[in-house]
């Protein structure tokens, strides 16, 4: 049994990683201010400390309570558009809180750190798949804030010997196959839950932003990886840290167009997704597909639920069982 401190463990990806850690018998302490997360997403068995990472005393108390061997850092503001309106707020919160957390690790002798990084580091790359050595060119303060943390970790590693894993997710999708956890953001910005709610008549027709991209059906192509596969990658990265720091791009290495996702949701829901074609959004690249050869070679990681249909089915099952998200789960 190992002890972990998980920031943002009440959020979408963090809660699935907490589930994976608990599943193998680890002791987990979550620190989360519930700004976008949910108390009910922290499974029984984990301890939840409700606090803002900007609260230094609360972070100290969390380290004292958890006595962690490693810290997994999910907590962040992650709305790209919002970051364009509040760049310094994003840099202060994401980079500032993250650097304070890295410093706390060093003070407390915690030698391993896992960062939720992002494909947004790469801006609008010209080639696909995108491997770890692709040029870094964040197109938003959100992406920049994660790059600042990757750089801070590199220095903490070089000077203080901290081992770190920078995990650059593409699009996390789906829900816990056991039905305990799912995706519940407000506002929701992710395509699959939006398409599901449109199919179920819970929101207006889904906007397709751009139908004239240079892709086979004219819509943007993205890489979706099941959130439980992402969780598994965190466990493998933690083990890999026994040897060295690592940086991994994490996706399914497969691209699906917006229209392909909409069709998959229509198949799963048994009814079509109502859609409305809209103009392109500024800054949306045509195609983002992860190159995942490095994590596969280092750890043997391979997604267990690679098919888009399987990903969509788990997401749909959770949303059918939780029409109002965590707040109004059926029977609660
Ligand atoms: N979901 C994706 O597809 C995706 C893709 C790339 C990167 N990421 C990164 O992965 C991480 C998790 O993403 P997610 O989709 O689960 O987001 P999420 O919003 O569901 O989870 C973030 C959690 O952090 C908490 N939090 C935020 N600010 C905090 C603070 N100052 N103090 C304490 N807790 C705080 C929130 O309450 C929430 O529970 C984020 O860092 C995000 O940038 C996510």
């Amino acid at each position: 049994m190992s002890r972990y401190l998980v920031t943002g463990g009440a959020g979408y990806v963090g809660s699935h990683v907490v589930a994976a850690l608990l599943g193998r018998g680890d002791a987990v302490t979550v620190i989360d201010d519930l700004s976008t997360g949910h108390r009910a997403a922290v499974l029984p068995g984990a301890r939840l400390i409700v606090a803002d990472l900007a609260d230094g005393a609360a972070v100290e108390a969390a380290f004292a309570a958890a006595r962690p061997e490693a810290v997994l850092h999910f907590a962040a503001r992650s709305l790209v558009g919002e970051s364009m309106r509040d760049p310094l707020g994003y840099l202060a919160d994401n980079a500032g809180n993250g650097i304070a957390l890295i410093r706390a690790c060093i003070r407390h002798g915690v030698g391993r750190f896992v960062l939720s990084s992002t494909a947004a580091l790469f801006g609008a790359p010209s080639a696909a798949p995108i491997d770890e050595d692709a040029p870094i060119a964040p197109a938003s303060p959100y992406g920049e804030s994660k790059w600042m943390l990757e750089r801070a970790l590199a220095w903490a590693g070089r000077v203080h010997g901290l081992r770190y894993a920078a995990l650059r997710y593409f699009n996390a999708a789906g829900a816990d196959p056991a039905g305990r956890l799912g995706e519940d953001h407000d506002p929701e910005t992710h395509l699959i839950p939006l398409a599901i709610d449109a199919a179920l008549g819970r929101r207006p027709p889904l906007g397709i932003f751009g139908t004239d991209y240079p892709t086979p059906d004219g819509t943007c192509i993205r890489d979706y990886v099941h959130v439980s596969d992402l969780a598994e990658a965190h466990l493998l990265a933690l083990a890999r840290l026994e040897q060295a720091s690592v940086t991994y791009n994490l996706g399914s290495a497969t691209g699906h167009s917006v229209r392909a996702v909409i069709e998959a949701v229509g198949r799963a829901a048994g009814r079509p997704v109502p859609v409305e074609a809209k103009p392109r959004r500024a800054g949306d690249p045509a195609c983002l597909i992860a190159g995942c050869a490095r994590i596969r070679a280092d750890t043997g990681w391979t997604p267990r639920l690679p098919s888009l249909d399987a990903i969509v089915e788990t997401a749909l099952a959770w949303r059918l069982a939780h029409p109002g998200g965590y707040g109004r789960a059926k029977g609660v």
Side-chain angles (χ1 to χ4, degrees), residues 22-315:
L22 292 174
R24 64 178 198 180
D26 291 326
V28 180
T29 302
V30 169
I31 180 166
D32 196 301
D33 66 359
L34 303 181
S35 53
T36 59
H38 309 271
R39 192 178 288 275
V42 181
L43 290 179
R47 168 172 32 190
L48 170 63
I49 297 172
V50 179
D52 187 338
L53 282 184
D55 178 347
V59 171
E60 281 302 300
F63 272 83
R67 293 184 298 110
E69 288 149 53
V71 168
L72 294 95
H73 180 42
F74 298 91
R77 296 169 70 186
S78 48
L79 297 174
V80 170
E82 185 182 64
S83 83
M84 296 299 280
R85 293 188 294 278
D86 181 20
L88 298 180
Y90 261 70
L91 297 178
D93 287 354
N94 286 359
N97 290 343
I99 290 171
L101 189 70
I102 296 166
R103 296 182 82 184
C105 284
I106 292 160
R107 260 196 323 279
H108 289 270
V110 177
R112 290 185 291 156
F113 192 101
V114 179
L115 172 69
S116 295
S117 190
T118 171
L121 294 186
F122 299 111
S126 50
I130 303 160
D131 67 20
E132 289 80 0
D133 299 322
I136 302 291
S140 68
Y142 164 65
E144 185 73 45
S145 70
K146 297 287 185 171
W147 178 234
M148 287 168 75
L149 283 183
E150 288 202 14
R151 296 303 306 148
L153 284 170
W155 284 108
R158 195 156 142 187
V159 176
H160 298 290
L162 182 72
R163 291 257 177 90
Y164 66 90
L167 304 183
R168 298 164 173 171
Y169 317 152
F170 282 60
N171 295 278
D176 173 32
R180 299 165 298 175
L181 304 165
E183 181 165 20
D184 180 7
H185 290 122
D186 182 20
E188 188 54 78
T189 58
H190 295 144
L191 178 60
I192 292 174
L194 289 174
I196 289 172
D197 281 2
L200 298 178
R202 294 178 185 165
R203 63 167 68 235
L206 179 76
I208 301 181
F209 297 100
T211 52
D212 58 350
Y213 282 95
T215 59
D217 68 15
T219 64
C220 287
I221 293 176
R222 295 289 180 269
D223 180 322
Y224 299 88
V225 60
H226 194 280
V227 65
S228 299
D229 285 322
L230 213 47
E232 176 72 19
H234 287 70
L235 306 191
L236 295 168
L238 273 170
R240 184 76 185 169
L241 289 184
E242 300 298 338
Q243 296 163 53
S245 292
V246 291
T247 296
Y248 294 136
N249 287 1
L250 279 177
S252 62
T254 310
H256 298 285
S257 71
V258 172
R259 283 204 194 281
V261 170
I262 287 167
E263 279 160 23
V265 169
R267 273 194 299 279
R271 60 188 101 162
V273 178
V275 296
E276 195 181 333
K278 299 214 166 163
R280 292 183 184 195
R281 286 183 303 206
D284 264 350
C287 178
L288 292 174
I289 300 174
C292 305
R294 187 184 287 178
I295 185 169
R296 286 184 186 182
D298 281 2
T299 71
W301 177 76
T302 178
R304 291 175 205 218
L305 289 165
S307 99
L308 181 61
D309 285 318
I311 290 172
V312 165
E313 278 159 23
T314 59

